[in-house]
């Protein structure tokens, strides 16, 4: 195995609104204890940064530490670390968005809202940008344990699966292709009447959406 140097990357979303691992009441950023990010270096090697601390005065800023290549032309970051499958020489990242997600009142499942980042200077930190869109709905009935969203599109507008993501010059992520597509998302758990829930899905134009529970 290749050894790296213990490094720390600051992590934030643009203006503290772009990256959310947990939604606050005001829809602002909030990292959670236990979050981890993957960092790719210019050798396309993946490093997992799991030692994390949340800024005491701002939950929208966190510091992720771990072994990494200290001298690199660039570093790409992926949140969550478990979603990062790989990267090519052009900086195109392969990431996974699961079709099975856990219900969480007022937010989305932990480790579910994919985000990516890019930097040429480790001291500048990683400014994460969301890859996914969020679908929100409010539960009107009691006794619901599972909700499934289906889309007619599977090739051109897959809701989830394995995707290739790049970052544009302006820093906006782009889903270039979904290589292993899923046409449905299942949200499971104990749903509370009157609460709002979120599903994370790949961005796209969808038609013939069906929601069953």
């Amino acid at each position: 195995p290749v050894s790296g140097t213990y490094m720390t990357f600051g992590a934030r979303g643009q203006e503290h609104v772009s990256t959310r691992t947990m939604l606050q009441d005001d829809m602002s950023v909030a990292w959670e204890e236990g979050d981890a990010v993957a960092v790719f270096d210019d050798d396309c090697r993946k490093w997992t940064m799991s030692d994390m601390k949340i800024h005491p005065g701002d939950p929208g800023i966190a510091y992720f530490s771990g072994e990494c290549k200290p001298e690199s032309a660039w570093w790409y970051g992926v949140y969550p670390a478990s979603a990062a499958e790989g990267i090519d020489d052009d900086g195109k990242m392969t990431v996974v968005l699961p079709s099975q997600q856990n219900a969480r009142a007022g937010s989305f499942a932990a480790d579910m809202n994919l985000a990516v980042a890019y930097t040429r200077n480790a001291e500048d930190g990683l400014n994460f940008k969301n890859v996914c869109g969020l679908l929100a709905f409010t539960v009107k009935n009691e006794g619901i344990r599972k909700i499934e969203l289906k889309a007619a599109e599977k090739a051109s507008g897959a809701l989830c699966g394995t995707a290739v993501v790049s970052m544009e010059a302006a820093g906006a992520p782009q889903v270039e292709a979904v290589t292993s597509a899923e046409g449905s998302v299942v949200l499971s758990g104990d749903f509370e009447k009157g609460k709002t829930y979120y599903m994370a899905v790949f961005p796209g134009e969808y038609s013939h959406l069906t929601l069953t529970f």
Side-chain angles (χ1 to χ4, degrees), residues 2-9 39-43 45 47 49 66-75 119-123:
V2 178
S3 297
T5 299
Y6 192 81
M7 298 176 64
T8 297
F9 289 88
V39 175
F40 291 103
D41 60 31
D42 58 5
D43 290 325
R45 187 181 297 116
W47 306 87
M49 318 294 277
E67 285 195 350
C68 190
K69 182 182 178 182
E71 300 293 334
S72 181
W74 46 254
W75 295 269
T119 187
R120 287 184 175 273
N121 185 349
E123 294 183 358

Side-chain angles (χ1 to χ4, degrees), residues 153-209:
E153 300 82 1
K154 187 173 180 181
S156 60
L159 291 170
C160 54
T162 302
V164 176
V165 176
S166 63
M167 293 197 75
E168 298 175 351
Q174 179 73 34
V175 178
E176 295 196 357
V178 182
T179 58
S180 179
E182 296 284 348
S184 67
V185 177
V186 176
L187 199 62
S188 302
D190 294 322
F191 292 89
E192 298 181 54
K193 182 180 178 180
K195 297 289 186 179
T196 299
Y197 295 83
Y198 296 82
M199 288 178 173
V201 300
F202 287 133
E205 294 185 6
Y206 300 103
S207 61
H208 307 295
L209 289 170

Side-chain angles (χ1 to χ4, degrees), residues 5 28 52 69 90 92 97 101 125 128 138 157 175 210:
T5 299
S28 62
M52 70 92 70
K69 182 182 178 182
D90 295 323
K92 295 181 179 180
L97 178 62
Q101 302 181 14
F128 281 90
T138 301
V175 178
T210 59

Side-chain angles (χ1 to χ4, degrees), residues 6 13 15 26 36 77 80 99-100 108 119 144 151 157 162 171 173 194-195 213:
Y6 192 81
E15 298 179 355
D26 62 357
S99 61
Q100 301 291 324
F108 39 75
T119 187
I144 296 175
T162 302
K195 297 289 186 179
F213 52 88

Side-chain angles (χ1 to χ4, degrees), residues 27-195:
M27 300 295 285
S28 62
V29 178
W31 292 98
E32 290 187 87
E33 293 292 345
D35 281 339
V37 301
V39 175
F40 291 103
D41 60 31
D42 58 5
D43 290 325
C44 300
R45 187 181 297 116
K46 174 183 174 181
W47 306 87
T48 299
M49 318 294 277
S50 56
D51 295 341
M52 70 92 70
K53 292 182 179 179
I54 298 173
H55 191 289
D58 188 342
I61 299 175
Y63 303 93
F64 292 90
S65 303
E67 285 195 350
C68 190
K69 182 182 178 182
E71 300 293 334
S72 181
W74 46 254
W75 295 269
Y76 281 90
V78 177
Y79 170 84
S82 58
E85 292 279 292
I87 194 170
D88 65 17
D89 292 332
D90 295 323
K92 295 181 179 180
M93 295 160 277
T94 300
V95 298
V96 177
L97 178 62
S99 61
Q100 301 291 324
Q101 302 181 14
N102 295 321
R104 188 180 194 183
S107 187
F108 39 75
D111 290 348
M112 203 56 59
N113 194 32
L114 286 172
V116 294
Y118 168 82
T119 187
R120 287 184 175 273
N121 185 349
E123 294 183 358
D124 291 340
L126 295 167
N127 295 313
F128 281 90
K129 304 292 180 67
N130 285 343
V131 173
C132 297
L134 297 177
L135 292 177
F137 55 90
T138 301
V139 174
K140 300 294 186 181
N141 299 312
E142 297 178 346
I144 296 175
R145 297 291 180 268
K146 182 175 74 173
I147 296 176
E148 183 176 13
L149 176 72
K150 289 185 178 180
E153 300 82 1
K154 187 173 180 181
S156 60
L159 291 170
C160 54
T162 302
V164 176
V165 176
S166 63
M167 293 197 75
E168 298 175 351
Q174 179 73 34
V175 178
E176 295 196 357
V178 182
T179 58
S180 179
E182 296 284 348
S184 67
V185 177
V186 176
L187 199 62
S188 302
D190 294 322
F191 292 89
E192 298 181 54
K193 182 180 178 180
K195 297 289 186 179

